[in-house]
Amino acid sequence: MIYLIISIATIFYFFLLFKNMGEDSSIVLGNKPFIIVIAGFLILVTGIFIKDSGIIDYKEYNSILDKHSEIRKNVLTIKENIPILRTKLQNEPDYYQGWVMLAKSYIITDKLLEANYAYEQALSLSASDPIILEEYISVLRKIDPKSNKKVILKSFNQLLSLDKSNLNIYNMKLNYSIDINDADLTKSILIDIASNSEIKNKDQYLAALEQMELSGEFDLKIVLSQPMHISLIKYNYIFFILREDNSKLPFAVRKFSKDNLPLNFSISSNNKMISGSPIPKKIKLYIKGSDESSVSKSMKQAYESDILDLSQSDEYIIN
């Protein structure tokens, strides 16, 4: 409408301008340049108005309104039928399809807690339909994905028991683990995929698992035997150094004074020399003693471990 008003105002402006230029008091057909300019401008503005006004989409708008009207009528019908269906289920609690219909009805009417209860009743009768299990998981995630974690994972396991080779189920489970920001769960799912012989095309999952193992956190518990502890406290300072095999650069370091050296402690991601650096696949633990509190050439090596895999090791005992 604004374009139409502008076009009318513009025409009126040019008309007054034409009169004020000392021309004839009436516009005559003989003044062709002026009329062509005005007519062209009017057509242009009118075209823009029609395009932006939505007149062209009038039929489509009506179609959408009709569909929405039909949906509203269906929702009203469903709401009216819910009490009838509930009464029927009170008399026939083993009516599986009835519980499924009730659950779906509650979803449509946005009553998720009631839908959750109806799905529970249906699945207690039969848990062999993957579609119903997926819908149940979806409802649980909408209610509270974290507090419902135990039930959600149980439902995913039921899904996988129906079809262990279905990557779509694993993908849904991975999506859930990312949604709740659970790195351990994500890694566990990737390991399950990697070890599943029924899944053939899993290169991208193996790559993701390797990336997690390289860039993830670690926590290696060190347990010192009493004799080892006694042999180490002869130094003023003891350095526990994790270093990649065949590398001279330390990956992670933890230092203790002889008075504070415990029998049990951890070397973790917090002790990395470079925060965020990837975890080497092959690593060794070195123990070095020194009378100085900083790293120096005078440090003496007291122990060297075999090759460790931090993705597989969580405790290392030193005798």
Side-chain angles (χ1 to χ4, degrees):
M1 181 59 69
I2 186 64
Y3 292 118
L4 186 60
I5 295 171
I6 292 173
S7 63
I8 293 172
T10 304
I11 293 170
F12 185 69
Y13 169 79
F14 275 109
F15 177 76
L16 292 177
L17 182 63
F18 178 83
K19 292 195 66 171
N20 290 335
M21 289 173 62
E23 303 291 341
D24 294 335
S25 59
S26 60
I27 299 175
V28 294
L29 293 176
N31 196 346
K32 291 181 180 180
F34 178 77
I35 294 176
I36 290 172
V37 170
I38 293 300
F41 184 79
L42 178 60
I43 292 170
L44 176 64
V45 173
T46 304
I48 294 172
F49 164 71
I50 292 174
K51 176 179 178 295
D52 292 350
S53 66
I55 292 175
I56 297 174
D57 300 326
Y58 180 73
K59 290 183 179 180
E60 185 178 347
Y61 289 161
N62 274 344
S63 175
I64 293 171
L65 288 174
D66 290 341
K67 288 180 181 178
H68 285 185
S69 177
E70 184 179 347
I71 291 171
R72 285 195 294 270
K73 289 179 181 178
N74 290 338
V75 171
L76 289 174
T77 302
I78 290 169
K79 285 183 176 179
E80 292 171 357
N81 288 334
I82 284 176
I84 300 171
L85 190 53
R86 289 179 60 182
T87 301
K88 182 176 178 64
L89 288 168
Q90 287 176 355
N91 299 323
E92 300 178 40
D94 295 336
Y95 181 29
Y96 171 79
Q97 289 296 338
W99 286 113
V100 171
M101 286 189 289
L102 184 62
K104 292 177 182 288
S105 299
Y106 279 133
I107 289 176
I108 293 171
T109 55
D110 201 28
K111 293 185 177 181
L112 297 180
L113 293 176
E114 289 85 347
N116 176 47
Y117 174 77
Y119 274 123
E120 287 177 350
Q121 299 306 308
L123 291 170
S124 69
L125 298 171
S126 174
S128 60
D129 189 338
I131 295 176
I132 301 305
L133 281 166
E134 288 179 22
E135 291 175 355
Y136 178 48
I137 291 171
S138 176
V139 168
L140 289 170
R141 290 179 64 177
K142 288 178 181 177
I143 293 172
D144 192 330
K146 290 188 176 180
S147 65
N148 289 322
K149 178 181 176 181
K150 185 176 180 180
V151 183
I152 290 172
L153 293 180
K154 179 183 176 181
S155 300
F156 271 123
N157 290 336
Q158 287 178 304
L159 269 174
L160 289 169
S161 69
L162 298 174
D163 188 357
K164 291 182 180 179
S165 63
N166 192 334
L167 265 176
N168 288 331
I169 300 173
Y170 283 106
N171 286 334
M172 285 188 291
K173 197 174 180 182
L174 282 170
N175 180 271
Y176 168 66
S177 70
I178 294 170
D179 183 34
I180 62 173
N181 195 27
D182 191 330
D184 291 336
L185 177 58
T186 301
K187 186 175 180 180
S188 173
I189 297 167
L190 291 172
I191 291 173
D192 288 343
I193 295 172
S195 61
N196 191 331
S197 59
E198 297 183 25
I199 298 175
K200 304 302 179 184
N201 301 320
K202 50 188 175 185
D203 290 347
Q204 58 181 324
Y205 302 96
L206 294 174
L209 178 59
E210 183 178 0
Q211 185 62 34
M212 283 195 73
E213 291 177 342
L214 289 174
S215 60
E217 296 184 351
F218 73 94
D219 190 347
L220 180 63
K221 184 179 180 182
I222 304 295
V223 180
L224 297 176
S225 67
Q226 193 67 41
M228 176 58 73
H229 186 271
I230 293 172
S231 69
L232 291 176
I233 58 175
K234 67 182 182 181
Y235 301 105
N236 288 331
Y237 297 94
I238 303 95
F239 296 82
F240 293 82
I241 303 168
L242 290 177
R243 195 167 68 198
E244 186 176 6
D245 190 32
N246 297 323
S247 172
K248 294 182 179 180
L249 299 175
F251 165 67
V253 177
R254 187 155 189 196
K255 179 183 71 174
F256 295 95
S257 67
K258 66 177 183 179
D259 297 328
N260 296 319
L261 179 63
L263 288 171
N264 301 293
F265 61 93
S266 292
I267 303 177
S268 69
S269 303
N270 295 327
N271 304 119
K272 284 183 180 181
M273 297 299 291
I274 302 176
S275 178
S277 60
I279 301 174
K281 290 293 287 183
K282 296 180 179 181
I283 207 163
K284 283 188 174 184
L285 170 65
Y286 297 87
I287 305 177
K288 295 189 177 185
S290 176
D291 291 330
E292 300 176 19
S293 62
S294 58
V295 175
S296 67
K297 292 182 179 180
S298 64
M299 295 171 65
K300 294 181 180 180
Q301 184 164 303
Y303 182 83
E304 178 182 346
S305 74
D306 295 328
I307 292 176
L308 304 175
D309 184 349
L310 292 181
S311 66
Q312 302 295 326
S313 305
D314 55 8
E315 183 178 87
Y316 188 70
I317 301 173
I318 305 173
N319 294 311

